[in-house]
Amino acid sequence: SFREKVMKFLVFVLLVSQCSALTSQQCHHCEQTSCDCSSQNLREVPAAASKLITELDLSLNALETIMKDDFLSYAALRALFKLDLSSNQLETLSSGWFQNLTSLHYLNLLGNKYSTLGQGNLFLPLRSLKTLHFGGPFLQSVSKRDFSGLFGLEELVFEGNHLQVFNRGSLRQIGPISHVTLRLSGVFHRDLAVVRAILLDVVHPNTTVTFTDTQFNKSLQMFPLHVAIERGATGLSFKNVNMSVSACVQLVNIFSGSDLTFFAIEDSHIFKNEEEVRLHHINLTSLDVIVFKNIDINVFYRVPELHFMQNILTVVRRASMINTMLFVIPCQSTIHFSDLEFLDISDNIIGDLTLMEMMCYGIGVLLNLRTLNISKNILSSINSKLFTRLEKLENLDMSRNSFDSMPSTCSWPASLKFLNLSSTSLPEVTSCLPQSLQILDLSRNKLTVFSIELPLLKELYISGNKLGNLPDGHLYVSLAVLSIQDNNLAKFSSKNLHDYQSLRVLEAAGNPYVCSCDFVGFVTNDLMNHKTVVRHDLKSYICDSPNAVRGERVSDVKLSVFECRTALAISLLCLGILVLCVLIAGLCYKFSVVGLNEGDLGGGKCDNFVKIRLRKAMNSRTYLESPHDEDHIPAFWQSLRTAMKTSEIDNKDNL
């Protein structure tokens, strides 16, 4: 019939739509405003999951091509800010993909298979673009038309290890760029003229240039960097590079006398080679910040050419030498570091004796220093006298050393506001702590109690210890932030928090809480309305006891009246039992009275029986007197037994 045909057709349409939905690829890691679709082996762009999506990560997939309308659903949102297409299989690029993505701020195209940037004007629609990552192992050429209409970039990352052709001026039309990162290792070895052309395009006054993943074997490879200095670059950085000593020395010769304010070498290896390069006179009056981080120098003490690094420290204000196998800075050198305000020498092999040498045994050096980080070294004692004369020192980080103990008294500069002694194996603290502190970090130690009065302290971090109670709030009248996670706290109350006059933030998750009725009620009711804000969700507060609720969230525990009000419950139970007993006694009394009354009405037998017994006892002639003589006592007891038997016989007869 016609009706059956219509129903079959509707069922067919429904099945086709369901199959289409199942076969189309979707992103399964979307949150409110972002979709992380990376590493899902996607072969096509998934549809927009929400109207609120502003970030889309499609990196590390199998995208080979993108259709013109694939981003149409995202373009309709008018709010897609970030798009990551890196590490796919894209062989061609098209400006049509981005036709309507006018709000896009970030675009990453690295690590694909394209050899050119399309037919030109690729980025023309992206009027709001601020960050662009492009290039990869297959990129062969860059032309002027590739970047037509693109301007206003703030950050550019360019990978062109196998680049063969670069038309000068291709990137110049973009205009000034603040941060430029170049990965051009192959070009540095093959054609330094191409490197120079690229630098001429991307470097402007106030540009910071970073070279990554590059091998600098010879000093000659550093000559294109003259262009960066001449065009007014203010920052020069090298990350994950291999650099010969001769190349390093030549680099210093190049930027000596320049306007460079920032210089860094990070995650790199410096090796000795046969080439010798003489170091010129160093003039680095403009240099403000220097960073040496995670540098591996083979047999560093046999490389006297690198002593220039010591001279650099005499002019900079901020210096970092992190994980560089540094073990000492001679006092004779430290005396000249008069401009240093920030010094980070963490993650090295500085010990107690070499620190004393660096600080010239406390006579007074580094007098402008405001921040000193000597964490993660091999220090074993706290020697405050080394810092007493540093009247501008505000921040001192000595964490991740192994102190084991703390002196009873210390002498710190009055300016010290921040002290980090976390992860130092301290079993206790003493009055050595400076009274001027505003922020103190004692996390991950072995403390069982903390009771040092610090009236100016605003933030206290003591997580990862063994404290069983909150510190006395009366000792910390200015404390606003308290972090006491992962300790041995069993409970705390509203009174404990009220003792802190200024406390605004509490972090106390990860403790073995005893979920008593008072504590559960406080956490679920009073704490939510308290002036103190509890950081981290209350879901992180877990019961350790009693056994019935172990492992449950404190906020989810529901205790019965008998568990919460045991004394009151027992009192009520006893009262109920007493009332029941009184009621039963009253009923018994009532029914016994009724029974007696019924006996009287039945003929008065009970009354006659009582009268007969009384008359018999009164008329008895038996009279027994207690003998005074002990010899007559047996006869007395025999007479008494005889009289009782006679009385019983008479009673039976009368009945």
Side-chain angles (χ1 to χ4, degrees):
S1 65
F2 176 76
R3 182 176 181 182
E4 290 178 351
K5 291 181 179 179
V6 172
M7 292 297 295
K8 290 180 180 179
F9 176 75
L10 293 176
V11 170
F12 174 76
V13 171
L14 180 61
L15 290 174
V16 169
S17 63
Q18 288 180 343
C19 290
S20 176
L22 290 173
T23 55
S24 62
Q25 292 186 304
Q26 298 180 357
C27 182
H28 301 290
H29 297 91
C30 290
E31 298 181 355
Q32 293 182 350
T33 60
S34 65
C35 281
D36 181 4
C37 313
S38 62
S39 304
Q40 295 186 22
N41 200 32
L42 296 175
R43 297 185 178 275
E44 61 183 44
V45 177
S50 166
K51 294 181 178 180
L52 301 176
I53 297 300
T54 61
E55 299 182 9
L56 177 62
D57 186 351
L58 292 168
S59 62
L60 299 167
N61 281 292
L63 298 176
E64 296 181 359
T65 185
I66 294 177
M67 306 304 294
K68 182 178 180 180
D69 297 333
D70 281 352
F71 293 112
L72 192 61
S73 59
Y74 295 93
L77 306 179
R78 303 287 180 186
L80 186 63
F81 297 144
K82 183 176 180 178
L83 176 61
D84 191 339
L85 293 169
S86 63
S87 301
N88 279 281
Q89 307 296 320
L90 299 174
E91 296 183 356
T92 59
L93 303 176
S94 172
S95 60
W97 303 347
F98 316 121
Q99 192 63 45
N100 297 305
L101 301 182
T102 56
S103 299
L104 199 65
H105 289 178
Y106 174 99
L107 176 62
N108 190 343
L109 297 170
L110 290 171
N112 284 280
K113 292 186 175 181
Y114 54 85
S115 59
T116 66
L117 296 178
Q119 301 301 315
N121 303 321
L122 178 63
F123 309 108
L124 184 61
L126 305 177
R127 298 190 298 270
S128 301
L129 197 64
K130 301 299 180 185
T131 300
L132 173 62
H133 297 197
F134 79 96
F138 296 91
L139 184 64
Q140 296 291 315
S141 65
V142 172
S143 64
K144 289 184 178 181
R145 62 182 181 177
D146 293 336
F147 300 95
S148 296
L150 182 62
F151 59 90
L153 276 186
E154 297 176 358
E155 180 181 355
L156 176 69
V157 177
F158 177 16
E159 179 182 343
N161 285 332
H162 299 94
L163 190 68
Q164 299 294 328
V165 178
F166 181 84
N167 291 336
R168 183 175 175 180
S170 299
L171 294 169
R172 191 71 181 172
Q173 58 190 314
I174 298 175
I177 307 173
S178 300
H179 300 276
V180 176
T181 300
L182 301 174
R183 192 176 301 162
L184 304 170
S185 184
V187 185
F188 266 101
H189 288 272
R190 187 175 56 255
D191 194 343
L192 292 178
V194 173
V195 177
R196 187 175 187 278
I198 294 173
L199 290 174
L200 282 169
D201 272 11
V202 299
V203 178
H204 297 77
N206 300 319
T207 297
T208 295
V209 184
T210 300
F211 296 93
T212 67
D213 305 301
T214 304
Q215 184 89 12
F216 297 99
N217 295 327
K218 301 178 180 180
S219 61
L220 182 64
Q221 293 174 287
M222 290 296 175
F223 277 93
L225 274 62
H226 277 289
V227 174
I229 301 302
E230 292 167 359
R231 298 194 71 88
T234 54
L236 196 57
S237 176
F238 297 84
K239 292 185 178 181
N240 194 30
V241 302
N242 289 322
M243 185 182 298
S244 67
V245 171
S246 60
C248 188
V249 173
Q250 187 61 50
L251 174 63
V252 175
N253 285 334
I254 289 173
F255 69 71
S256 179
S258 69
D259 294 329
L260 205 66
T261 61
F262 174 83
F263 177 68
I265 302 178
E266 301 182 47
D267 306 315
S268 298
H269 173 65
I270 297 178
F271 59 93
K272 178 75 171 175
N273 60 344
E274 299 301 325
E275 183 184 14
E276 293 186 7
V277 176
R278 180 176 295 181
L279 183 66
H280 301 161
H281 175 69
I282 298 179
N283 179 14
L284 301 171
T285 55
S286 298
L287 195 61
D288 187 54
V289 178
I290 184 170
V291 176
F292 298 124
K293 182 178 181 181
N294 300 336
I295 299 178
D296 178 23
I297 305 176
N298 287 346
V299 200
F300 59 90
Y301 51 85
R302 295 183 183 175
V303 189
E305 296 93 336
L306 297 182
H307 289 173
F308 70 86
M309 294 184 180
Q310 178 176 295
N311 296 332
I312 291 177
L313 295 177
T314 63
V315 296
V316 299
R317 290 190 306 111
R318 299 175 61 87
S320 298
M321 293 175 285
I322 304 168
N323 189 20
T324 58
M325 297 297 289
L326 178 70
F327 70 96
V328 65
I329 300 178
C331 173
Q332 293 179 349
S333 299
T334 313
I335 291 175
H336 300 291
F337 301 164
S338 56
D339 293 331
L340 268 182
E341 297 179 5
F342 175 96
L343 179 59
D344 186 347
I345 49 176
S346 60
D347 199 5
N348 284 291
I349 50 176
I350 296 173
D352 294 333
L353 295 178
T354 53
L355 180 62
M356 292 172 64
E357 171 67 20
M358 186 187 85
M359 300 304 299
C360 296
Y361 303 90
I363 64 172
V365 291
L366 304 174
L367 297 182
N368 281 312
L369 201 63
R370 296 180 182 275
T371 298
L372 175 60
N373 187 347
I374 49 177
S375 64
K376 202 176 181 181
N377 277 278
I378 55 173
L379 301 175
S380 60
S381 63
I382 300 174
N383 190 349
S384 64
K385 294 181 180 179
L386 298 178
F387 315 108
T388 304
R389 298 192 180 185
L390 277 61
E391 297 180 354
K392 295 183 179 180
L393 186 64
E394 296 180 354
N395 310 297
L396 178 59
D397 189 342
M398 304 179 74
S399 62
R400 294 184 294 176
N401 286 285
S402 185
F403 294 134
D404 295 324
S405 64
M406 178 180 288
S408 58
T409 59
C410 293
S411 177
W412 301 98
S415 57
L416 193 61
K417 297 178 181 178
F418 169 83
L419 179 61
N420 189 347
L421 292 171
S422 62
S423 301
T424 52
S425 303
L426 286 173
E428 62 178 352
V429 292
T430 67
S431 298
C432 171
L433 293 175
Q435 292 290 297
S436 59
L437 285 182
Q438 295 184 11
I439 302 176
L440 174 61
D441 192 343
L442 287 165
S443 304
R444 298 178 298 280
N445 280 294
K446 303 175 183 178
L447 305 180
T448 57
V449 68
F450 183 76
S451 58
I452 306 299
E453 184 174 8
L454 298 170
L456 301 180
L457 195 66
K458 295 181 179 179
E459 299 181 21
L460 176 59
Y461 301 92
I462 48 176
S463 296
N465 282 283
K466 300 178 180 180
L467 278 74
N469 298 289
L470 289 180
D472 187 353
H474 296 104
L475 301 177
Y476 314 101
V477 294
S478 302
L479 195 66
V481 177
L482 174 59
S483 179
I484 189 168
Q485 304 177 86
D486 302 315
N487 275 273
N488 291 334
L489 288 185
K491 63 179 180 178
F492 57 91
S493 65
S494 180
K495 181 183 181 303
N496 297 139
L497 296 185
H498 279 302
D499 290 341
Y500 296 94
Q501 301 178 18
S502 307
L503 191 63
R504 293 292 177 269
V505 176
L506 175 67
E507 298 174 350
N511 283 288
Y513 289 114
V514 176
C515 286
S516 63
C517 294
D518 291 339
F519 181 68
V520 171
F522 167 65
V523 170
T524 56
N525 297 314
D526 299 346
L527 191 56
M528 299 301 294
N529 301 319
H530 202 275
K531 66 177 182 178
T532 301
V533 176
V534 179
R535 275 186 188 166
H536 306 121
D537 198 321
L538 286 176
K539 295 178 181 179
S540 301
Y541 290 67
I542 306 298
C543 297
D544 185 66
S545 63
N547 291 333
V549 295
R550 175 174 292 175
E552 293 187 27
R553 299 168 181 165
V554 177
S555 56
D556 294 340
V557 171
K558 307 295 181 184
L559 298 175
S560 66
V561 175
F562 279 93
E563 291 174 301
C564 292
R565 298 288 183 269
T566 305
L568 178 61
I570 293 176
S571 299
L572 292 175
L573 181 62
C574 292
L575 181 60
I577 294 174
L578 179 61
V579 170
L580 182 62
C581 291
V582 171
L583 181 61
I584 293 174
L587 290 174
C588 290
Y589 175 76
K590 178 178 180 180
F591 285 114
S592 64
V593 171
V594 171
L596 290 174
N597 291 338
E598 288 179 352
D600 292 340
L601 294 173
K605 292 182 179 180
C606 289
D607 185 50
N608 292 334
F609 175 75
V610 171
K611 290 179 180 179
I612 292 172
R613 292 292 304 273
L614 290 173
R615 188 179 303 113
K616 186 71 176 179
M618 294 295 294
N619 295 332
S620 175
R621 289 174 303 192
T622 303
Y623 176 75
L624 299 175
E625 183 179 359
S626 176
H628 297 285
D629 189 353
E630 293 183 359
D631 296 335
H632 295 87
I633 289 177
F636 167 78
W637 288 112
Q638 181 62 39
S639 300
L640 179 60
R641 282 194 292 271
T642 302
M644 290 176 66
K645 289 180 180 179
T646 304
S647 176
E648 289 177 0
I649 294 172
D650 292 342
N651 290 339
K652 290 180 181 179
D653 293 340
N654 292 331
L655 292 175

